Amino acid sequence: MMNFLVKTIANAGALWVAVWLLQDITLTGDSTGKKAWTLVLVALLFGLVNFVVKPVVKLLTLPLFILTLGLITLVINALMLLLTSWLADKLDLSFHVDGFWTAVLGALIISVVSWALNLVLPDKD
């Protein structure tokens, strides 16, 4: 349970950094508390998308993965971020990613920040 909580916090932090750095990734809300709650919910949604959908997409794109020497992972991560944005819109969460190239850059930022936070944060269950 603790590992799940740590990964969710790391995802929320990584998403916050992407929102902070990129103007086309938006998070709106009336107050800071509402924005933080929305960010945690989006982090949970992002984790769920990465847990359920991403392995299937990676399996289906295995030949492209081999052909591009893994660079297709950037595109897959961007598509997962766009899917999270679309689902957040359907769930009436105020998180939006505007455009594919913004999603590519956002996914790169989220990956790097999440990796760094997972190194720093404890990993025990």
Side-chain angles (χ1 to χ4, degrees), residues 13-23 25 81 106-107 109-110 113:
L15 284 164
W16 177 79
V17 170
V19 168
W20 182 61
L21 288 175
L22 301 173
Q23 68 181 7
I25 298 179
L81 187 58
I109 291 168
I110 290 168
V113 172

Side-chain angles (χ1 to χ4, degrees), residues 15 18-19 22-27 81 95-98 102-103 106:
L15 284 164
V19 168
L22 301 173
Q23 68 181 7
D24 288 337
I25 298 179
T26 56
L27 176 71
L81 187 58
F95 176 79
H96 183 69
V97 178
D98 189 27
T102 301

